[in-house]
Amino acid sequence: MGKVQAILCFYLQIAQSIDPINKNIKYSSSVISNLALSLAITVWVSEYLYIQLYFAFYNQVVTMSKSPRYIQIKTYISDKISAHEWVPGHKIPTELELTETFNVSRMTVNKAIRDLVSDGLLERTPRLGTFVCQKKAESPLTDIRNIADEISQRGGEYSNKVLSQRSIVADDEIAMRLGVMLGTQIYFSEIIHFEDNKPLQLEIRWVNPEYAPAYIQQDFSQATPNEYLSQNCPLSTIEHTVEAIIPDAKTQRYLNLSANEPCLLLNRRTWSKQNLISAALLYHPGHRYKLSSRTHL
């Protein structure tokens, strides 16, 4: 404390010499003690924070120095992406530049980048370079979730556009999909689902009106078909098939895809108890969407 008081007195003397109005002011020992205490606390807190930051940095350096060099490069790149310093679409340094930065062989850099490409963080474009990937939306393959809820849970903004919602007559293909007689009146809907105003899914659905008679009257701009059917026809069985396709011109337009850009097509049928309720074709842009599955053995 004595050292801090001496420093404080020194600064007070300087202040008095600079400010002639206050040069005759006498500071009592109690005032100096209180100011010294405040200064001491400030100094101690600053030193404590400095020590914490020093050891945090030291531990990080030690940890990285013990890691294989390609892991260090992966960590460097993934940290840049996590901190949003490198946003989706950003071109990362070339392999040669990373080789010079980390003083490693090009093979080491190549392994780090290949791993990050496999992890879905980076993508390589021939003759252009390596770029940070657009984050892909992900849905479980062995479950059915409301797409509006999925988007909200990812922090996105959900919206949709209802293209069609009407009663139609089942032709051969639709009758087979839905398990009804040829010529049966069924319900049909076609909706584009958006995440942050970008098309994420084109949903084409056929519904058996015997089990969901009010389907055609629903306002699907407020609640999705999945939400309505889940509430009124509790799910008991699902059937999924997945394929990668080049969609037709209409689907390309709805999903804002280029002419040769693939999409993921999920062919789904759902049952409630023993009753086949609906059949749907769900189209997703391949570059923005992926399906996942986990099985416990």
Side-chain angles (χ1 to χ4, degrees):
M1 180 66 73
K3 183 178 178 181
V4 174
Q5 281 180 312
I7 295 172
L8 181 60
C9 288
F10 173 72
Y11 282 115
L12 290 175
Q13 289 172 3
I14 293 175
Q16 288 175 337
S17 67
I18 294 173
D19 186 358
I21 295 176
N22 295 322
K23 70 179 182 178
N24 295 320
I25 294 177
K26 304 297 183 183
Y27 294 91
S28 66
S29 60
S30 63
V31 170
I32 292 176
S33 295
N34 289 335
L35 291 173
L37 178 61
S38 299
L39 180 59
I41 292 173
T42 302
V43 171
W44 290 335
V45 169
S46 298
E47 290 180 348
Y48 173 78
L49 292 176
Y50 173 80
I51 292 170
Q52 294 299 313
L53 289 171
Y54 172 80
F55 279 108
F57 175 76
Y58 175 79
N59 289 334
Q60 183 178 10
V61 170
V62 170
T63 300
M64 286 195 67
S65 65
K66 292 181 179 179
S67 302
R69 300 306 296 274
Y70 84 94
I71 294 293
Q72 296 179 33
I73 299 170
K74 284 181 61 178
T75 301
Y76 170 79
I77 296 174
S78 59
D79 284 350
K80 291 284 189 183
I81 296 172
S82 299
H84 303 292
E85 293 182 38
W86 293 353
V87 298
H90 175 85
K91 183 179 179 180
I92 73 167
T94 64
E95 289 189 8
L96 181 58
E97 290 170 336
L98 290 171
T99 296
E100 295 173 349
T101 299
F102 287 90
N103 193 26
V104 295
S105 69
R106 191 159 184 171
M107 183 182 299
T108 301
V109 172
N110 184 267
K111 175 170 175 52
I113 291 178
R114 280 190 288 108
D115 285 358
L116 291 171
V117 169
S118 298
D119 293 342
L121 291 179
L122 298 177
E123 59 182 348
R124 281 174 157 158
T125 303
R127 296 184 298 279
L128 293 180
T130 304
F131 299 84
V132 178
C133 276
Q134 296 285 342
K135 186 176 180 181
K136 288 190 176 184
E138 182 174 356
S139 294
L141 182 59
T142 56
D143 193 11
I144 292 182
R145 296 172 59 190
N146 183 12
I147 189 170
D149 293 340
E150 284 186 16
I151 292 172
S152 297
Q153 289 168 8
R154 288 194 293 268
E157 180 182 354
Y158 171 78
S159 59
N160 70 36
K161 180 179 181 181
V162 179
L163 302 174
S164 180
Q165 186 176 350
R166 65 186 191 272
S167 177
I168 63 173
V169 175
D171 59 18
D172 288 340
E173 181 182 354
I174 297 172
M176 184 176 298
R177 284 183 185 275
L178 202 52
V180 297
M181 297 292 293
L182 178 65
T184 301
Q185 287 285 333
I186 62 168
Y187 293 151
F188 170 79
S189 61
E190 189 173 22
I191 302 172
I192 305 175
H193 301 278
F194 297 86
E195 179 172 3
D196 296 331
N197 296 317
K198 296 179 180 179
L200 183 64
Q201 182 188 93
L202 170 63
E203 173 189 342
I204 299 175
R205 186 181 295 272
W206 301 271
V207 176
N208 191 331
E210 181 179 352
Y211 307 117
Y215 183 85
I216 201 68
Q217 283 84 39
Q218 301 307 303
D219 181 2
F220 291 129
S221 66
Q222 301 300 315
T224 66
N226 172 277
E227 184 177 351
Y228 168 76
L229 292 173
S230 297
Q231 291 173 354
N232 291 273
C233 305
L235 181 69
S236 61
T237 305
I238 59 175
E239 176 187 271
H240 281 151
T241 59
V242 182
E243 54 184 319
I245 66 167
I246 299 297
D248 59 27
K250 184 181 75 170
T251 302
Q252 290 172 357
R253 186 171 68 253
Y254 287 156
L255 294 179
N256 195 23
L257 300 175
S258 59
N260 296 315
E261 190 170 355
C263 74
L264 284 176
L265 171 58
L266 178 61
N267 191 330
R268 173 186 292 167
R269 295 200 297 175
T270 57
W271 284 259
S272 181
K273 298 180 181 179
Q274 303 300 317
N275 304 314
L276 178 54
I277 305 300
S278 76
L281 297 177
L282 308 175
Y283 297 85
H284 310 86
H287 68 285
R288 295 188 57 224
Y289 196 83
K290 62 181 178 180
L291 295 164
S292 63
S293 176
R294 176 178 294 183
T295 303
H296 296 282
L297 301 177

